[in-house]
Amino acid sequence: VYDYVAGKADWGSLGLPLEGHAGTETRAGAHLRTDVPTCRFDECLEGVRHRVEEAGWDTCFVVDEGGVVIGRLGRSALRDDPSPGVEEAMTPAPSTVRPSARLEAMVARMRDRDLTNLPVTTPDGRLRGLLTRGDAERALARGRSN
Amino acid sequence: MTAAMPIPIDRDEVLRLVADEAAQLVEVLPEAEYADEHIAGATSIPLEELNERAPRLLDRGRPVIVYCYDYQ
């Protein structure tokens, strides 16, 4: 007999599948945009700006070689920051949530803080994707109507 | 005779045991907590019922992994 000592809290925090009334579908991790662009801190801002724009995004996450989020380029940095490099333009250490975060709480958080999205990472900071307020609100509404 | 102490394992080992050895996951929290959320595929056997129900519900030939909510 084995004991998974970190338990289902650890399992859910990685976005691994949960079942039950509050299963995976009620969690942030099931509703992510996983195609959100990423870049490295030592890239040229202009190049990243073009890449992000071509992909149809207005934000980009700065990650290290292990995929850990170290910063974010927001709309204004991508639009008109005069810095030559990503490192100078990025907002370091953005606030993130885990894939197991409950959708209802995440929608409330985005409404309260007037946010349009939340980056979702594993507990060790690896980017899983972006939870947009629109996606989260629609998923919550679907869940309530079922 | 006393039962052997469970061997502590991490998530990677859980994934390996389930994939390679068809391990059985058992949530030992109360059933209401299992109904709320549980690891996909896990069986509910609350701790106080473990001795009575485990022999009936589990396959002795496959590894058993018990878990709670977190480090409790």
Side-chain angles (χ1 to χ4, degrees):
Chain A
V1 176
Y2 300 91
D3 183 3
Y4 176 23
V5 288
K8 62 183 174 182
D10 174 68
W11 188 266
S13 73
L14 266 290
L16 292 166
L18 292 168
E19 296 172 341
H21 304 315
T24 299
E25 280 303 303
T26 69
R27 310 300 179 115
H31 306 281
L32 300 181
R33 304 264 179 124
T34 55
D35 58 341
V36 61
T38 60
C39 66
R40 301 289 292 274
F41 77 94
D42 54 358
E43 284 190 69
C44 150
L45 183 58
E46 195 55 29
V48 172
R49 184 177 280 143
H50 284 302
R51 200 168 76 228
V52 171
E53 194 178 313
E54 278 177 12
W57 282 88
D58 59 4
T59 192
C60 179
F61 288 91
V62 186
V63 297
D64 69 10
E65 63 278 3
V68 172
V69 174
I70 57 175
R72 180 175 187 167
L73 294 169
R75 205 171 296 147
S76 62
L78 286 166
R79 191 177 52 226
D80 48 28
D81 193 298
S83 306
V86 166
E87 189 173 13
E88 296 81 19
M90 74 179 191
T91 301
S95 174
T96 62
V97 299
R98 304 290 83 75
S100 55
R102 301 205 182 210
L103 267 185
E104 200 158 12
M106 294 305 98
V107 166
R109 183 167 169 165
M110 286 189 271
R111 286 176 180 164
D112 289 349
R113 301 181 188 183
D114 198 23
L115 301 172
T116 55
N117 55 60
L118 286 169
V120 177
T121 69
T122 57
D124 57 2
R126 290 168 208 279
L127 184 66
R128 294 295 307 271
L130 192 70
L131 178 70
T132 71
R133 185 162 146 184
D135 288 348
E137 285 174 336
R138 281 188 287 277
L140 203 55
R142 278 198 305 275
R144 282 174 178 156
S145 66
N146 289 338
Chain B
M1 195 174 101
T2 55
M5 286 293 288
I7 301 164
I9 57 172
D10 63 14
R11 183 195 328 119
D12 290 341
E13 186 63 1
V14 173
L15 291 167
R16 191 197 68 74
L17 283 167
V18 170
D20 297 349
E21 300 184 35
Q24 305 159 94
L25 281 155
V26 177
E27 179 164 319
V28 296
L29 293 166
E31 276 181 6
E33 291 191 43
Y34 173 89
D36 191 43
E37 61 168 8
H38 56 267
I39 293 175
T43 300
S44 171
I45 309 181
L47 194 57
E48 62 274 18
E49 301 171 27
L50 200 57
N51 289 341
E52 187 252 323
R53 291 175 62 189
R56 284 190 285 113
L57 295 175
L58 301 177
D59 177 350
R60 291 182 65 89
R62 291 156 51 202
V64 173
I65 305 168
V66 296
Y67 71 87
C68 294
Y69 185 75
D70 56 15
Y71 295 89
Q72 52 196 309

